[in-house]
Amino acid sequence: MSPIRKAVLPVAGLGTRVLPATKSIPKEMLPVFDRPAIQYVVDEARAAGIEHFVFVTGRNKSAIEDYFDSAYELEDTLREKNKTAILQELERIRPAPGSMSFVRQQAPLGLGHAIACARDIIGQEPFAILLPDMLVKSAKSCLAQMVEAYNRVGGNVIAVEPCEDPSSYGVIDPVDRSGPLMKMKGMVEKPPRESAPSNLFITGRYILQPEIFPLLDDQAAGAGGEIQLTDAMVRLMDSQDFHALEYDGTSYDCGSKLGYFRANLAYATSDPEHGEAARAMLKDFG
């Protein structure tokens, strides 16, 4: 069983659900409390042992690449002013040389198309996918939990969590629900509540085998006229096992205005240094 060393982060989206904030700033760079959203996702992947990150970008997304680069002038100024703690934090988040790749999607043809753009860098290895507008807060990294599950069962693993209204999400059809790790027999996109096979929705974290790439290459356009990753996964399920992991944690959809606001509240109020003050501030709005 090959280890999970690489992760794909599709960041080419325009962020239309949070306009006008994203008119000139990539949605992945919007700050969630004290750092851009993309940093939380990279930290989650690093905690799972990811060694190489593939960012699938588009036009006007160069701020993401710059963020993960060195900033000599800033760092030199911090050294001169003995701002050691801040400098150490910047050094902590700096990636190792050669550990990040950036490829262009060039056209908004869907999530499946974005993942296909990473094929040459991923090669013939299993890999992770993390949707950067979905933050997952957990004691143990969500992807780390998934890697542990993958090491037990192999194949393909999808992170899921329960929801009140399955009709708003892509949900899984499990073989059984005897535990947090369950074998799947299908996936359904936004089913009516009364006919949904479960209330477990796909959170935006995947571990997939490289056989997904030839399926994406000839995948017909699906919902919205786009190449849908879910459609290709359903086809891959005909020949490979899929498991869903009901992980321990909570997700925050930063792709919507209220979801982004909720994420800021969650990360601010749980911050070790500022959490108590943030909770006190919230009482003023009660």
Side-chain angles (χ1 to χ4, degrees), residues 133-138 142 160-162 169 201-205 247-254 259 262-263 266-267:
D133 55 3
M134 187 70 79
L135 302 188
V136 179
K137 203 171 190 309
S138 54
C142 174
V160 297
E161 64 180 284
Y169 303 97
F201 79 93
I202 300 171
T203 303
R205 301 290 187 270
Y247 70 95
D248 183 14
T250 304
S251 66
Y252 299 91
D253 181 6
C254 291
R262 182 169 173 261
Y267 283 90

Side-chain angles (χ1 to χ4, degrees), residues 1-280:
M1 187 184 300
S2 299
I4 308 301
R5 302 188 313 111
K6 299 177 181 178
V8 178
L9 286 75
V11 296
L14 298 176
T16 53
R17 290 190 294 160
V18 286
L19 283 169
T22 52
K23 183 175 183 291
S24 60
I25 301 173
K27 64 178 180 179
E28 299 82 9
M29 290 301 296
L30 292 176
V32 175
F33 186 49
D34 65 345
R35 64 201 64 203
I38 192 70
Q39 184 66 62
Y40 292 102
V41 181
V42 169
D43 286 345
E44 175 191 337
R46 280 177 170 166
I50 295 300
E51 302 171 7
H52 193 101
F53 296 82
V54 184
F55 293 85
V56 182
T57 73
R59 294 180 66 250
N60 302 320
K61 294 281 185 161
S62 59
I64 298 174
E65 190 169 353
D66 291 342
Y67 173 77
F68 288 107
D69 199 357
S70 297
Y72 172 77
E73 297 86 350
L74 171 62
E75 294 168 10
D76 192 53
T77 299
L78 293 174
R79 289 190 190 93
E80 289 180 357
K81 295 185 176 182
N82 293 317
K83 295 187 178 293
T84 306
I86 301 175
L87 183 60
Q88 289 176 341
E89 177 64 12
L90 293 180
E91 291 173 345
R92 183 193 71 80
I93 66 176
R94 182 188 304 141
S99 64
M100 290 187 170
S101 300
F102 295 82
V103 299
R104 289 285 185 101
Q105 186 179 7
Q106 298 175 320
L109 297 179
L111 177 59
H113 180 264
I115 301 306
C117 292
R119 69 170 71 81
D120 288 342
I121 301 174
I122 297 299
Q124 293 301 309
E125 298 183 40
F127 64 102
I129 300 171
L130 300 95
L131 303 190
D133 55 3
M134 187 70 79
L135 302 188
V136 179
K137 203 171 190 309
S138 54
K140 175 181 282 188
S141 155
C142 174
L143 187 61
Q145 296 176 53
M146 295 174 66
V147 168
E148 288 181 356
Y150 167 80
N151 289 337
R152 296 203 304 271
V153 300
N156 304 270
V157 180
I158 299 173
V160 297
E161 64 180 284
C163 62
E164 293 184 2
D165 184 8
S167 65
S168 300
Y169 303 97
V171 300
I172 66 157
D173 187 0
V175 173
D176 63 67
R177 291 184 66 170
S178 56
L181 183 61
M182 61 206 86
K183 192 171 183 180
M184 296 168 50
K185 58 183 178 181
M187 289 172 276
V188 183
E189 189 67 29
K190 298 181 180 179
R193 184 196 293 259
E194 60 276 7
S195 61
S198 75
N199 69 335
L200 295 173
F201 79 93
I202 300 171
T203 303
R205 301 290 187 270
Y206 313 79
I207 292 175
L208 298 179
Q209 296 296 320
E211 286 78 14
I212 193 71
F213 289 119
L215 298 178
L216 289 171
D217 287 342
D218 66 4
Q219 181 63 52
E226 298 179 339
I227 306 301
Q228 298 295 339
L229 178 63
T230 301
D231 294 341
M233 289 195 298
V234 169
R235 294 170 62 200
L236 184 59
M237 197 177 297
D238 290 337
S239 59
Q240 293 186 358
D241 286 343
F242 270 73
H243 285 81
L245 176 67
E246 189 174 352
Y247 70 95
D248 183 14
T250 304
S251 66
Y252 299 91
D253 181 6
C254 291
S256 68
K257 292 180 180 180
L258 288 179
Y260 173 68
F261 178 64
R262 182 169 173 261
N264 271 279
L265 292 177
Y267 283 90
T269 54
S270 63
D271 182 78
E273 182 179 356
H274 302 287
E276 184 176 352
R279 290 189 297 271

